[in-house]
Amino acid sequence: MDVRVVVAGAVFDRGRLLAARRSAPPELAGRWELPGGKVEPGERPEDALVRELREELGVEAEPLERIPGEWPLKPGLVLRVWTARLVSGEPRPLEDHDALRWLAPDETDEVDWLPQDRPAVGEAARMLAAG
Ligand code: C5P
């Protein structure tokens, strides 16, 4: 089976990490995630991330580096995460989310992350804390 990749962004701005609360589907609603979505066939993952962040949050972001690792979501779907820098715009929950929070490195445990996002969030928090 072909494996589809979901890309998500650990979006940094002024020393904080962006968290997004899912509004759908019902089984995921209310949990927090790093925003992102599925890579389209033939699309570069970094381009997919830029597109998803534009669609979901109305911002322009620049992917910086991949957080090592990959996390299974369900059969045939894996999550890969990039850090990204906010280039322009103020994120708004336009699609898929109903709340956003900017978290300082010592606040990243304050929201109920989707379990599959937790390892990347932990690494992103370490990177932020290290400056
Ligand atoms: O956002 P979208 O519905 O395209 O995401 C596809 C799948 O990836 C969903 O099952 C979603 O739960 C999962 N996902 C995730 N963590 C993220 C982003 C998406 O588990 N940070």
Side-chain angles (χ1 to χ4, degrees), residues 5-9 35-56 59-66 80-84:
V5 174
V6 171
V7 288
K38 292 192 189 82
V39 179
E40 298 294 340
E43 191 178 35
R44 292 171 60 236
E46 291 93 336
D47 293 339
L49 181 60
V50 169
R51 174 181 55 72
E52 289 284 350
L53 296 175
R54 190 182 291 143
E55 290 171 1
E56 294 187 354
V59 297
E60 295 304 314
E62 178 194 6
L64 296 175
E65 59 183 298
R66 173 137 173 231
R80 295 182 185 165
V81 178
W82 270 256
T83 60

Side-chain angles (χ1 to χ4, degrees), residues 9-33:
V11 179
F12 296 157
D13 188 45
R14 285 169 273 180
R16 294 169 306 161
L17 171 69
L18 185 65
R21 191 172 68 191
R22 287 198 70 109
S23 53
E27 62 274 19
L28 302 180
R31 310 289 297 273
W32 294 74
E33 68 175 11

